[in-house]
Amino acid sequence: MKKALRTTLASLVLIPSLSWASADLSTLLPQEVHRSTLKDIVNSLQSGHYNKIQINDELSSRLLDSYIKSLDPNRLAFYQSDITEFDAYRYTLDDEVEAGNLEHAYQIFNRAQQRIKQQLDWFIARLNDDTPFDFTKDETLDTDRSDNEWAMNKKELEDLWRKRLKSALLNLRLADKTGEDAREVLIKRYQNQLKRISQTNSEDVFQQFVNVFTKKFDPHTSYFSPRNSENFKINMSLSLEGIGAVLQSENEHTKIVRLVPAGPADKTGQLKPSDLIVGVGQGAEGAIEDVVGLRLDDVVDKIRGPKGSIVRLEVIPSGSADQTARKVVLIERNKVRLEEQAAHKEIIDIEHKGRNYKLGVIDIPAFYIDFAALQRGDADYKSTTRDVEQLVKELKTDNIDGLIIDLRNNGGGSLREANELVGLFIDRGPTVQIRDPQGRVDILGDFNPKIAYTGPMAVLVNRLSASASEIFAGAIQDYRRGLVIGDQTFGKGTVQTLQPLDHGQLKLTHAKFYRISGESTQNKGVIPDVTMPSLFDKEEIGESALEGALPWDEVKQAKHGMYSGFSPFLDKLLARHNARVSTQPDFMFMREQIARQQEDKANDLVPLNESALKLKREEAENWQLEAENRRRVAKGEAPIKQLSELDDMLKKDEQGTPISEESRAVLTESGRILIDLMELSTHYAANN
């Protein structure tokens, strides 16, 4: 299921939360500035957005459905009668948007607030009157009702609420909360949510509706109110301060989208994209505060804090079959040092047919450049390309046999650097094409014949390799300069610009990237020549997982040469690779994990019977422990008794970032594939 997302960065200073206050709701109305701003946004989208979408009845219908979904994603607030009433606006919202008319958008929002308040009041009343719940009864909760029918009456809706409340209590019981403590936690949670909706203002409504509207053009186009525009600027300028995690709101949870490489959160080795944050504690001993249902800004305020201070996050691990399975991760807030973000090298030794091969590996966490130093004329300004060129020189003095550029988890950065980095490995030629809203195509390229490295090379990518990473990997693949190995990349092939408005600002998608082959990197990303198993769920992570993502398409191929490449023996490379990983313990473990995740994902029903839920949790933990021990025994390692023992066994790189066994196995296998390429190339050359 694709979900509407809102993203921010946990990075600044802690702002204390307020205590709960009365939740009396007032009717919210649009202001005149909102009407004029909406017209400005419509004009900007129609004149400057890459995606030329008609604002018509078809868009109006989709806008209504998306807006209702954003307000009530699990269909637990509105009645069918509400939806029937709103359906009268299905083919008029487009006209209203163009006219700056927000009356019906605010009407729907106000109704949602009323319905949610009724639900929260009901929850609190049941908890305060100590309503008994039978945890021995065999019933289930459907955790994904996004496609279910709307409730027809109060009795039907209250039964859904009852199950939801019962599940929340049961989760806390299994998290070792007493009955009284569990009720106190939930009362506070729901009171906080009441406080939040009582503090909602007209600006909040405008921003929510407008962002649902802009997402009809593409998921990266969004509106920032004046207040959020300032927060956005602060986040960008201080984005390396804090725990180093990009967060987003998804339904009532806070979800980790991305970890900043070498950041405090990344260095724990215990957090991953798609983990859900359900609690935040201050200091090493402070009580964990429940944050389920809080607005994203409030959760971020609790996570951010001064350098050197401690924050503890209670999380539900991604892919967990059991929402009661939680762990607490301690993080020391800090600034991500630029030198830790820089490219770095290592040499791995691999034995093949009695010979030891030395392979250089250059890990590039991001495409960076110190623009300020460059503009000052500093001859020693820092950049990805300059750093990689120096690392290549050092590796060549070590007489490496081949080179691997590791772009896993590299979310992109400077387009200039991606372009120039390609130039280190090719003679000269185009590197990327950019098409604007008018269809004009601009071609960037490398015009410096200098080559830093001419030997065998591979580029390693995964699902979190995005934007500039995809441009580099795509160019290397199109020139057949090296093998691309790993997982299908993220697929972000669009370019955004910030456009100021009289009231806030608009982040607008105004261009699209294309490879020199003419293929877009958008949506589809880069497909590796040799694919590795991945624990990232493509339905949850990546451009194709975002609602309204622009499609993949093509432009005319840019004229370019090609290297001899590996096409004649790609089948042999794949056969050798598949034979190795069929019995390699880490790859067997990854395939087991993927199959298990798919199996768990197919079931949205959660037991509300305590014994059944405990059994499900125990079975999940036992299966994971057994799978881990199967791997360890196959590798000649001693089995473990508890999964928690693994946290202390994680190996770390020079930057202090933990390296999982799966990550290391993929790197080593990439080295073996590169050695196969060298061997087959030599044999091919000798016989032709």
Side-chain angles (χ1 to χ4, degrees):
M1 180 185 67
K2 296 180 177 65
K3 302 179 175 69
L5 308 177
R6 181 181 168 213
T7 306
T8 191
L9 187 64
S11 55
L12 302 178
V13 225
L14 178 65
I15 300 175
S17 61
L18 302 174
S19 58
W20 177 70
S22 172
D24 292 336
L25 299 182
S26 58
T27 300
L28 298 172
L29 298 173
Q31 300 170 8
E32 187 57 40
V33 69
H34 296 146
R35 303 181 196 277
S36 59
T37 302
L38 181 53
K39 290 180 182 180
D40 289 343
I41 290 171
V42 169
N43 290 334
S44 296
L45 291 171
Q46 292 182 321
S47 63
H49 198 283
Y50 183 88
N51 198 10
K52 299 301 182 184
I53 285 185
Q54 296 296 316
I55 301 177
N56 54 21
D57 285 355
E58 187 271 336
L59 181 140
S60 180
S61 179
R62 292 190 292 115
L63 175 58
L64 177 65
D65 291 336
S66 295
Y67 187 44
I68 291 172
K69 183 177 180 180
S70 75
L71 296 170
D72 187 13
N74 257 329
R75 303 194 173 190
L76 289 167
F78 288 131
Y79 291 102
Q80 178 60 56
S81 58
D82 294 320
I83 303 304
T84 301
E85 179 184 342
F86 302 152
D87 205 53
Y89 318 137
R90 181 165 298 279
Y91 300 112
T92 63
L93 283 180
D94 57 325
D95 301 318
E96 294 172 12
V97 163
E98 289 188 303
N101 184 351
L102 292 154
E103 177 185 348
H104 290 141
Y106 274 69
Q107 178 188 340
I108 295 171
F109 188 94
N110 285 323
R111 183 73 55 81
Q113 293 287 83
Q114 293 167 7
R115 296 291 186 237
I116 293 169
K117 182 180 184 303
Q118 290 169 1
Q119 179 185 154
L120 295 171
D121 286 340
W122 190 90
F123 283 161
I124 293 171
R126 299 292 80 75
L127 292 166
N128 278 327
D129 66 16
D130 207 24
T131 299
F133 289 89
D134 183 0
F135 295 108
T136 65
K137 185 177 180 180
D138 288 327
E139 56 181 351
T140 59
L141 173 72
D142 187 352
T143 58
D144 182 4
R145 297 192 69 260
S146 58
D147 295 322
N148 289 28
E149 297 295 326
W150 300 92
M152 298 298 295
N153 51 54
K154 184 178 180 181
K155 180 180 179 182
E156 188 178 334
L157 199 56
E158 286 185 351
D159 190 55
L160 294 173
W161 295 350
R162 177 189 64 81
K163 288 185 176 182
R164 183 179 172 87
L165 181 57
K166 182 177 179 179
S167 177
L169 283 167
L170 183 53
N171 284 345
L172 291 172
R173 282 167 63 97
L174 293 187
D176 299 325
K177 297 284 187 183
T178 65
E180 182 179 348
D181 287 344
R183 288 176 184 269
E184 287 181 3
V185 167
L186 292 180
I187 288 172
K188 185 176 181 181
R189 175 188 298 179
Y190 300 136
Q191 286 178 338
N192 282 335
Q193 292 178 38
L194 278 174
K195 177 192 70 175
R196 185 186 75 184
I197 65 173
S198 71
Q199 294 174 341
T200 302
N201 57 38
S202 180
E203 192 71 53
D204 297 324
V205 186
F206 178 71
Q207 178 158 285
Q208 178 154 354
F209 176 73
V210 169
N211 275 320
V212 174
F213 169 62
T214 60
K215 294 297 181 290
K216 298 298 102 181
F217 285 75
D218 90 302
H220 302 292
T221 295
S222 56
Y223 167 73
F224 297 96
S225 67
R227 176 185 175 187
N228 284 333
S229 294
E230 288 304 310
N231 288 340
F232 180 77
K233 293 175 185 175
I234 293 171
N235 284 337
M236 291 303 98
S237 63
L238 296 178
S239 60
L240 299 182
E241 187 78 34
I243 68 167
V246 178
L247 310 176
Q248 72 189 18
S249 178
E250 186 171 283
N251 296 341
E252 62 179 8
H253 286 109
T254 298
K255 181 178 178 180
I256 295 176
V257 180
R258 180 172 61 86
L259 301 177
V260 176
D266 190 29
K267 286 184 177 180
T268 67
Q270 300 182 60
L271 294 172
K272 297 178 181 177
S274 294
D275 285 353
L276 301 177
I277 300 173
V278 295
V280 179
Q282 306 302 328
E285 304 293 337
I288 299 287
E289 181 179 354
D290 179 86
V291 297
V292 176
L294 291 188
R295 56 186 290 155
L296 182 62
D297 292 348
D298 293 336
V299 178
V300 171
D301 286 343
K302 295 179 187 301
I303 293 175
R304 295 179 295 192
K307 175 182 176 181
S309 61
I310 299 295
V311 63
R312 292 179 359 267
L313 303 184
E314 183 178 16
V315 301
I316 300 173
S318 60
S320 174
D322 176 14
Q323 294 290 294
T324 68
R326 305 182 180 195
K327 65 179 181 181
V328 175
V329 180
L330 186 148
I331 305 172
E332 180 179 344
R333 300 178 178 103
N334 206 342
K335 184 173 183 177
V336 180
R337 290 177 295 188
L338 290 177
E339 58 267 28
E340 293 183 321
Q341 285 268 293
H344 51 277
K345 67 177 174 67
E346 67 168 308
I347 293 177
I348 58 174
D349 296 294
I350 297 178
E351 191 275 332
H352 178 73
K353 294 184 178 180
R355 176 188 164 184
N356 184 64
Y357 287 81
K358 295 172 65 176
L359 300 178
V361 179
I362 297 180
D363 186 348
I364 306 176
F367 285 86
Y368 53 88
I369 182 172
D370 188 343
F371 276 113
L374 175 63
Q375 291 171 346
R376 289 195 307 267
D378 188 342
D380 295 322
Y381 73 89
K382 196 168 185 61
S383 78
T384 303
T385 305
R386 292 162 67 97
D387 288 349
V388 170
E389 185 173 13
Q390 178 59 36
L391 294 174
V392 167
K393 287 180 181 177
E394 295 171 8
L395 289 170
K396 285 165 69 175
T397 62
D398 291 323
N399 298 314
I400 59 170
D401 297 295
L403 176 67
I404 298 173
I405 302 294
D406 192 346
L407 297 180
R408 287 177 296 175
N409 305 328
N410 183 324
S414 169
L415 172 62
R416 165 184 169 147
E417 288 305 304
N419 175 55
E420 294 194 354
L421 188 67
V422 175
L424 293 184
F425 304 102
I426 65 170
D427 183 6
R428 66 177 72 195
T431 57
V432 64
Q433 304 185 79
I434 306 171
R435 185 164 71 176
D436 68 16
Q438 286 70 46
R440 295 186 295 258
V441 177
D442 186 24
I443 301 176
L444 302 184
D446 166 56
F447 305 104
N448 186 343
K450 182 179 68 172
I451 302 177
Y453 179 75
T454 59
M457 68 178 291
V459 180
L460 186 53
V461 295
N462 67 2
R463 189 60 169 171
L464 297 182
S465 303
S467 194
S469 292
E470 296 174 292
I471 290 171
F472 177 83
I476 294 298
Q477 189 177 62
D478 290 339
Y479 276 104
R480 296 182 186 171
R481 175 62 186 87
L483 277 170
V484 176
I485 301 171
D487 187 26
Q488 179 181 4
T489 60
F490 192 93
K492 185 181 183 299
T494 57
V495 187
Q496 285 71 44
T497 185
L498 283 173
Q499 180 175 327
L501 302 168
D502 289 339
H503 187 75
Q505 61 183 345
L506 184 67
K507 180 160 68 76
L508 184 76
T509 296
H510 72 100
K512 199 171 180 181
F513 289 129
Y514 292 83
R515 293 163 56 163
I516 57 174
S517 65
E519 298 178 87
S520 173
T521 57
Q522 170 62 18
N523 210 308
K524 185 177 177 180
V526 177
I527 307 298
D529 301 301
V530 181
T531 301
M532 300 280 195
S534 171
L535 298 179
F536 294 120
D537 185 344
K538 290 183 177 62
E539 293 186 17
E540 293 287 336
I541 298 174
E543 188 78 6
S544 59
L546 302 179
E547 184 176 356
L550 296 186
W552 177 91
D553 62 350
E554 296 177 281
V555 296
K556 184 179 178 181
Q557 181 180 117
K559 187 176 179 180
H560 65 282
M562 287 189 185
Y563 290 79
S564 57
F566 42 82
S567 299
F569 32 82
L570 183 57
D571 288 343
K572 290 183 179 179
L573 282 174
L574 293 172
R576 291 186 181 187
H577 160 68
N578 290 330
R580 279 192 298 268
V581 300
S582 64
T583 57
Q584 207 281 342
D586 291 309
F587 281 87
M588 294 172 67
F589 176 80
M590 282 188 277
R591 289 192 293 270
E592 281 189 73
Q593 298 296 309
I594 294 167
R596 179 75 178 195
Q597 284 181 7
Q598 292 302 314
E599 181 183 325
D600 292 338
K601 186 179 178 181
N603 185 9
D604 291 324
L605 298 179
V606 173
L608 297 179
N609 177 294
E610 185 168 8
S611 297
L613 190 55
K614 278 184 177 179
L615 180 61
K616 181 179 180 180
R617 180 177 186 176
E618 290 170 1
E619 287 177 345
E621 289 179 352
N622 290 338
W623 183 90
Q624 192 65 42
L625 182 62
E626 290 168 4
E628 184 62 51
N629 280 331
R630 280 194 295 274
R631 168 166 68 169
R632 295 182 65 81
V633 170
K635 295 173 72 172
E637 299 171 347
I640 58 174
K641 294 182 179 179
Q642 295 180 351
L643 291 172
S644 58
E645 296 177 38
L646 295 174
D647 293 339
D648 296 327
M649 298 180 181
L650 281 174
K651 297 177 182 178
K652 298 187 176 182
D653 62 18
E654 293 179 359
Q655 282 66 41
T657 305
I659 307 172
S660 70
E661 293 185 70
E662 297 92 328
S663 175
R664 200 66 190 178
V666 167
L667 178 60
T668 301
E669 175 57 21
S670 298
R672 295 191 183 282
I673 294 169
L674 186 55
I675 292 170
D676 286 338
L677 174 62
M678 289 185 267
E679 181 182 67
L680 291 169
S681 297
T682 302
H683 179 75
Y684 182 81
N687 289 277
N688 287 278

